[in-house]
Amino acid sequence: MKKLIFVCLIALSAMYAEVLKVGATPIPHAQILKEIIPDLKKEGIDLQVVEFTDYVTPNLALADKSLDANFMQHQPYLDQINKDRHLHLVSIAKIHIEPLGFYSKKIKSIGALKNGATIAIPNDPSNGGRALILLDKQGLIKLKDPSNLYATEFDIIANPKKLKIKSLDAAMLAKSLDDLDGAIINTNYALQAGLKTKDALFSEGKDSPYANILVVREGDANKPSILKLKKALQSQKVKDFILKTYQGEIIPAF
């Protein structure tokens, strides 16, 4: 009888659990979120992870209330899409850092990069500017203002190797490496393609300020379910999971 009552209570709990839909790119964001599903279940929350392969759609889905939160971007990208799409989304927590890296299948060292080589960078404004800043730091190009995160190819004032800069969708960069001399790729897409930070010829330092963030609509930051999600994502369990799973490829930001 007691066992039956216990089973019924579990069933009722599941039936009345609050559904929380969170958008994420598959690696590492969705992986991290799936780690906390059991923890949130104990809190009466049914965490449903909705996977996306781009950065725009999960923000639009959050804005139109198809999602309750998303976890797949850094603050400068959020600032830019809020401005461009007239969205009202806010960051409520920093979770981890993913350094940008330069990858190539054709050369083993940056010194082997030939004049006129074709290099691809992300085509979204913040990550594109971030990639150009990384090229500037390596001395491959010179920017008018190396601190301008939204720099474009028009801000290049010196290009001694006459590099051809090609802008591609971030999700396509790793898939296009065979046709390029190199590409600057976001860590999440590099991991999905089986690349590791150690494979990069150069990358951002671990002090990169571009932490990936948990994002919600304005006015939702203090909802009980959102606060529970935030607490779970910034838990010691998640920190240990990131350190153990990604072995330095991704760094906790809390």
Side-chain angles (χ1 to χ4, degrees):
M1 186 66 171
K2 288 182 180 179
K3 184 177 181 181
L4 178 61
I5 293 172
F6 180 70
V7 171
C8 290
L9 287 172
I10 292 176
L12 284 170
S13 177
M15 186 182 301
Y16 294 105
E18 180 177 358
V19 173
L20 196 65
K21 292 185 178 181
V22 181
T25 44
I27 300 174
H29 306 83
Q31 288 180 327
I32 294 171
L33 285 166
K34 288 172 184 177
E35 277 297 299
I36 61 172
I37 287 176
D39 304 279
L40 289 175
K41 188 174 182 180
K42 293 175 185 175
E43 297 281 343
I45 295 172
D46 176 15
L47 175 60
Q48 297 181 5
V49 181
V50 184
E51 296 189 14
F52 296 86
T53 57
D54 72 303
Y55 296 143
V56 177
T57 314
N59 279 318
L60 299 181
L62 177 56
D64 71 17
K65 299 186 178 181
S66 300
L67 298 173
D68 300 297
N70 70 40
F71 171 40
M72 31 54 71
Q73 65 194 316
H74 54 58
Q75 187 68 53
Y77 184 85
L78 176 63
D79 291 342
Q80 190 65 42
I81 199 167
N82 270 336
K83 180 181 177 182
D84 293 345
R85 301 286 184 135
H86 307 291
L87 306 180
H88 301 281
L89 309 178
V90 295
S91 165
I92 61 167
K94 294 179 180 180
I95 309 302
H96 70 270
I97 294 167
E98 300 177 9
L100 280 182
F102 179 91
Y103 299 84
S104 176
K105 290 186 176 181
K106 296 183 178 178
I107 60 173
K108 299 297 183 184
S109 70
I110 200 60
L113 193 63
K114 296 178 180 178
N115 288 348
T118 300
I119 292 175
I121 63 174
N123 67 359
D124 58 275
S126 60
N127 283 311
R130 188 177 166 193
L132 291 173
I133 291 169
L134 186 55
L135 291 174
D136 178 278
K137 286 183 177 179
Q138 290 294 316
L140 294 171
I141 61 170
K142 184 173 177 57
L143 293 172
K144 186 188 308 179
D145 178 7
S147 66
N148 176 17
L149 183 60
Y150 300 104
T152 70
E153 292 93 320
F154 296 107
D155 296 304
I156 299 172
I157 57 175
N159 185 356
K161 282 185 172 286
K162 302 189 185 307
L163 300 175
K164 297 170 185 173
I165 310 294
K166 187 175 183 179
S167 295
L168 295 176
D169 184 86
M172 295 302 298
L173 290 167
K175 298 174 184 177
S176 303
L177 270 182
D178 288 336
D179 302 317
L180 301 164
D181 294 294
I184 294 181
I185 306 174
N186 300 71
T187 298
N188 59 318
Y189 291 123
L191 288 173
Q192 287 176 42
L195 301 170
K196 297 184 179 295
T197 300
K198 66 181 181 182
D199 298 324
L201 275 64
F202 57 86
S203 61
E204 289 177 319
K206 293 182 179 180
D207 58 347
S208 168
Y210 308 114
N212 278 230
I213 51 181
L214 177 63
V215 176
V216 299
R217 289 182 295 276
E218 279 184 359
D220 286 355
N222 292 316
K223 280 187 173 181
S225 58
I226 295 296
L227 290 175
K228 289 175 182 177
L229 172 64
K230 175 182 175 180
K231 183 178 179 181
L233 275 175
Q234 290 189 318
S235 66
Q236 186 63 44
K237 176 182 177 179
V238 167
K239 182 176 286 188
D240 292 342
F241 174 77
I242 290 172
L243 292 172
K244 181 179 179 181
T245 305
Y246 305 110
Q247 298 290 308
E249 304 284 331
I250 293 167
I251 314 299
F254 59 92

